Amino acid sequence: MFVFSCKNEPKHKVAPAQEHNKDLNVTKKTAAANFSSPEATQLYQDYLAVKAALVNTNMASTKKAARKLAKNLEGKEAYKNVRMVATLIVDAKDVEKQREFFVGLNEQTTAVLKDALDSGKIYQQYCPMAFDGKGGYWLSNSDEVRNPYFGDVMLVCGEVTKEIN
């Protein structure tokens, strides 16, 4: 057993991750986001698929989602940095390495999407516990936290830090 704490919540015991058949990324509500180009729309959808696979701690699904993201960005110069990081996720040898590269994917994707959002909202979320207390951000279509850095071990650890409108 491990003891973790998220934000100022009381410490609680968490059992090691176990296999599950349920999609842990599901939330009760989602926010729409409309972008200035079909490429940005596709990027957001593909990014969310990578995030969902990490929430579910599924290395194969993460690899598949990142491969799709990279393929959809082929030949699009404005997205070359996003594509490069997605390729690193595809080539990663374990889910922890995928999560490390996801930090870069988040940074590159956020830089592109914040300027391409026409209407709706994107939630920027943050987990202070990720990466030995260094913390990690991600984007979401819901204000309900689903943590891609810890998956089922600390599924709801984190908070919305910003709404991108």
Side-chain angles (χ1 to χ4, degrees):
M1 293 293 228
F2 300 101
V3 177
F4 292 107
S5 178
C6 184
K7 299 187 296 189
N8 294 324
E9 296 173 4
K11 292 183 179 184
H12 58 281
K13 294 181 180 180
V14 179
Q18 298 178 10
E19 286 195 36
H20 51 79
N21 294 328
K22 184 179 167 188
D23 183 357
L24 299 176
N25 193 56
V26 173
T27 58
K28 291 178 183 150
K29 59 184 177 172
T30 58
N34 299 300
F35 298 92
S36 58
S37 71
E39 293 85 7
T41 300
Q42 187 66 56
L43 169 59
Y44 185 57
Q45 292 169 352
D46 291 346
Y47 170 93
L48 290 176
V50 173
K51 181 208 130 202
L54 288 171
V55 167
N56 285 293
T57 313
N58 188 321
M59 184 177 165
S61 292
T62 303
K63 192 175 288 255
K64 182 179 177 183
R67 185 176 290 116
K68 181 180 178 204
L69 188 155
K71 182 166 178 40
N72 286 336
L73 298 178
E74 282 179 359
K76 296 177 174 73
E77 186 63 22
Y79 300 92
K80 71 179 181 182
N81 291 339
V82 178
R83 186 174 188 279
M84 180 187 70
V85 179
T87 302
L88 292 172
I89 292 171
V90 171
D91 294 338
K93 301 295 182 209
D94 61 58
V95 75
E96 293 311 316
K97 225 22 169 171
Q98 289 177 323
R99 287 178 166 140
E100 288 176 29
F101 290 133
F102 184 70
V103 172
L105 182 68
N106 178 66
E107 290 170 358
Q108 296 301 321
T109 301
T110 300
V112 171
L113 293 181
K114 69 180 171 97
D115 293 329
L117 185 65
D118 277 345
S119 64
K121 69 175 85 173
I122 302 170
Y123 297 97
Q124 180 184 54
Q125 299 179 346
Y126 176 75
C127 173
M129 300 289 295
F131 307 109
D132 296 321
K134 293 177 188 160
Y137 289 91
W138 67 92
L139 301 175
S140 181
N141 62 348
S142 176
D143 63 353
E144 299 171 55
V145 171
R146 298 296 181 267
N147 190 321
Y149 298 117
F150 287 108
D152 63 342
V153 174
M154 291 176 44
L155 183 63
V156 296
C157 180
E159 64 185 335
V160 174
T161 58
K162 183 178 187 180
E163 287 183 17
I164 302 169
N165 296 307

